[in-house]
Each structure stands twice: as structure tokens, then as C-alpha cells.
Amino acid sequence: MLSIRQATMADLPTVMNLINSAIKVLAERQIPQWHDGKYPLTSDFENDINHGEGYVLIDEDQESKIIGYAALSSCPDKVYEEGAEVNFNNDAESNYMIVHRVVVDSSVRGRRIGLRFLEMLQSKANELEYHDLRIDTHPKNIAMRKTIMRAGYEEVGMIYLPEVDDNDRVAYQLLTRVRI
């Protein structure tokens, strides 16, 4: 059984191990995402946790082992607003949440755990009364792109990350309720 909970500073070493493992997998797949040492940094995860935006995915069947991490941020992101080539449906909601820094333990690859994690994050966002979710990933990260689409997100264009090499990202949006 899987569950999510807010991350704590005690989780940080495990989260960083997951991230470092994911960076290796991305490199093996020749996906230039998270490869330059500029992002994500430990401080990004510390900020997530300090702001109550970091979530860990727990496998209850493995003695409550942490097998995933993601940030669910309600802060507006300039990257999604300025210089982006996107067509967000902004009529549905004035506030949105962004899913950042998604990672799932490579030992559970192929079991659609990432999809289930995104669905749980969607439920958490809905509990917090956010019904507009956004996420992005590198164009070459085909596995993640498929997972995002399976979770119901629609591709809406491209965003460009500042201060990182190979900075283009495919942006997605999921509306879980449209206001009338």
C-alpha cells in the first residue's frame, strides 16, 4: 500500500539518495536533466520542507520505506509566467500548484508507481482546494512525459529554466475542476 505525507528534515538524506540515484539513471538514458550540478540542490529540498511543500511517497508494504519525493508548490513561478511559450487555461483557476522535483526509487520502476504518486499529489492539491496543477519535464524524458500524460495532464507548450544548461522543458496542465 502506498501513501504520502509531508517530508521532514529527517527524510532529507533519503530524499537526496533518491535524487542522486535518479541523476545517474537520467545520465544513463542520456537525458540532460539535473546533470549540471546547478539544480536541484539540497537547499531546494530544504526550502520545500521548510515551507511544507515537500512530500514523500511511502511504501507501507516495505516497512514504511520512502520510495519517492515531490514538491507541491502553491507559489507562483515566474518561469511559468515570463518567457514561456505556453497556452495555460487560466480561465479555470486564478491559483495553481506546480509539481516539482518528482523522483521515484528506481527499484520500483515499471510498476507505474510514478503515476500513482502523481495521482496522490493531485488528490492532495484538491484537498488544499487547488484544481489547476502544472508540471514540466525535459523533452527527452520520455518515461516521465508518458507518466504525466497518463495522469491526465495536457501538454501546453514550453518553458525555459534560467541558470541551467539545456533549459527547455515541456509544460503540462491538469484541471480537476472548471469554474462556471
Side-chain angles (χ1 to χ4, degrees), residues 33-34 39 77 79-80 100 136 159-169:
Q33 181 177 350
W34 298 355
Y39 177 86
D77 191 329
V79 172
Y80 280 73
H100 285 301
D136 63 84
I159 63 169
Y160 303 94
L161 304 179
E163 302 176 13
V164 297
D165 300 333
D166 206 356
N167 69 345
D168 56 325
R169 300 292 184 266

Side-chain angles (χ1 to χ4, degrees), residues 3-153:
S3 64
I4 64 171
R5 66 166 169 77
Q6 280 189 312
T8 67
M9 284 300 177
D11 300 325
L12 192 57
T14 302
V15 169
M16 295 314 298
N17 285 338
L18 288 172
I19 292 297
N20 291 330
S21 178
I23 289 170
K24 289 177 186 170
V25 170
L26 290 168
E28 289 168 6
R29 293 180 178 176
Q30 298 181 338
I31 300 169
Q33 181 177 350
W34 298 355
H35 69 289
D36 59 9
K38 298 176 185 175
Y39 177 86
L41 302 172
T42 303
S43 60
D44 294 311
F45 299 96
E46 291 169 342
N47 287 334
D48 293 343
I49 293 167
N50 286 332
H51 290 100
E53 296 179 343
Y55 288 86
V56 289
L57 177 64
I58 306 295
D59 187 341
E60 303 292 347
D61 296 332
Q62 291 189 47
E63 299 177 12
S64 298
K65 179 182 177 186
I66 295 173
I67 60 168
Y69 176 87
L72 192 55
S73 176
S74 60
C75 298
D77 191 329
K78 285 190 269 185
V79 172
Y80 280 73
E81 309 292 333
E82 301 170 5
E85 298 171 4
V86 293
N87 187 23
F88 287 119
N89 179 346
N90 292 317
D91 295 332
E93 291 284 329
S94 59
N95 296 315
Y96 59 88
M97 293 194 102
I98 303 173
V99 181
H100 285 301
R101 296 178 279 289
V102 179
V103 62
V104 173
D105 191 321
S106 61
S107 71
V108 296
R109 189 179 315 152
R111 295 175 35 203
R112 295 199 175 187
I113 301 294
L115 173 61
R116 292 168 58 198
F117 192 21
L118 287 179
E119 291 169 346
M120 289 176 173
L121 292 167
Q122 173 186 333
S123 292
K124 177 54 75 176
N126 288 338
E127 283 176 31
L128 297 170
E129 298 189 10
Y130 286 87
H131 302 283
D132 181 346
L133 290 104
R134 301 173 186 192
I135 191 170
D136 63 84
T137 194
H138 194 280
K140 292 182 180 178
N141 195 342
I142 302 302
M144 185 62 178
R145 292 180 68 188
K146 287 180 180 178
T147 298
I148 291 168
M149 296 291 283
R150 283 185 185 120
Y153 287 80

